[in-house]
Amino acid sequence: MVTVLKMRRHTKVPWLTSVDLGLGGAIPGMASFLCAYVLLGRKVAVVDAGPAKCVPSLITGLEKLSISPGDVSCILTTHIHMDHGGGLGTALKRLPNAVAIAHPSACRHLLEPEKWWKATRSTLGNLAENYGKPEPVPLERLVAAEDGMELDLGGIGLEMLFTPGHAPHHLSFMEKRDGVLLAGELAGVH
C-alpha cells in the first residue's frame, strides 16, 4: 500500500518530517502553504528546497530539528517550478555537503537559470518576485537522476521514479519498506 503524505508532521513514519517554508512572510495569505520534507536516516536528505526567499526558513527548520546545515547530504527535487526548486542554488550555498538530485531535463535550467527565471516572471508576474530569483547550481554538486535509480540514506532506501504529468521533468521518490511515496505535486495540492 502506498501512503501519500500531507503537509504536516508525520508521526506514523518516524524517519520523515516536514518544515514549513514560511511563505506567509513573503506572500500574505500563503502561511503553511509550502513545506520541505526532511528524511532522517543516517544521512539527512531534504525533498524540495522551495523558493529562494524561503531558504532561511528551511535552515531555521533544520536547526529546530537539531540538524546542522553540514549534516544534509542531498536535496531531492521533485520538479523545478519556483515554489519547489527555485531555491535549490541558494540552499546549496547554505548546505555545504549537499548535492542536488533532479530530473535530467531540469539540470540545464538549474545550471543556467536566466531563461527559466525570465519565463517564470512572464508567467507569474509579481508572484515570481515574491518567490525570489533562482541562483545557479554548481555543476559539481548536481546529479541527474535516472528512472529507477536508488538512493541509500542509511536505513532509508529511495527509488527515483520519472513521473511526468504536473511537469514533464517531475520526479517522485518511493520508499518501499514503509510504502511511502513522496509525490511532489503529481497528486495535486492538498
Side-chain angles (χ1 to χ4, degrees):
M1 181 176 143
V2 172
T3 305
V4 178
L5 301 171
K6 295 183 180 169
M7 306 276 212
R8 58 184 151 82
R9 186 163 181 87
H10 311 287
T11 55
K12 292 184 180 180
V13 185
W15 50 266
L16 179 69
T17 191
S18 60
V19 171
D20 185 336
L21 291 176
L23 192 61
I27 306 172
M30 300 287 272
S32 299
F33 182 70
L34 291 178
C35 77
Y37 289 111
V38 182
L39 287 70
L40 304 166
R42 287 187 296 281
K43 296 179 184 176
V44 176
V46 171
V47 177
D48 287 340
K53 285 194 178 174
C54 291
V55 170
S57 295
L58 172 64
I59 300 303
T60 299
L62 290 169
E63 289 170 351
K64 285 181 180 178
L65 293 168
S66 299
I67 298 169
S68 152
D71 293 338
V72 177
S73 65
C74 65
I75 304 173
L76 305 167
T77 305
T78 59
H79 61 296
I80 61 162
H81 292 164
M82 287 297 158
D83 55 339
H84 288 257
L88 191 55
T90 305
L92 287 171
K93 286 182 171 181
R94 303 279 304 270
L95 305 171
N97 299 317
V99 297
I101 300 175
H103 192 285
S105 65
C107 291
R108 65 187 167 106
H109 299 292
L110 293 168
L111 293 168
E112 296 178 12
E114 274 308 313
K115 185 176 177 183
W116 170 36
W117 175 238
K118 184 177 178 182
T120 300
R121 283 185 24 233
S122 174
T123 303
L124 298 180
N126 288 338
L127 181 57
E129 298 296 334
N130 286 325
Y131 283 154
K133 184 177 180 178
E135 295 186 64
V137 171
L139 177 62
E140 66 276 7
R141 296 183 68 190
L142 183 59
V143 176
E146 295 176 20
D147 192 31
M149 182 172 129
E150 295 195 5
L151 178 66
D152 181 6
L153 295 172
I156 303 168
L158 295 177
E159 181 180 0
M160 316 228 172
L161 304 169
F162 286 10
T163 52
H166 177 70
H169 57 271
H170 198 287
L171 289 174
S172 295
F173 309 103
M174 181 70 190
E175 193 284 331
K176 293 180 181 178
R177 185 191 70 200
D178 293 320
V180 175
L181 177 67
L182 298 167
E185 281 189 295
L186 182 67
V189 178
H190 302 280

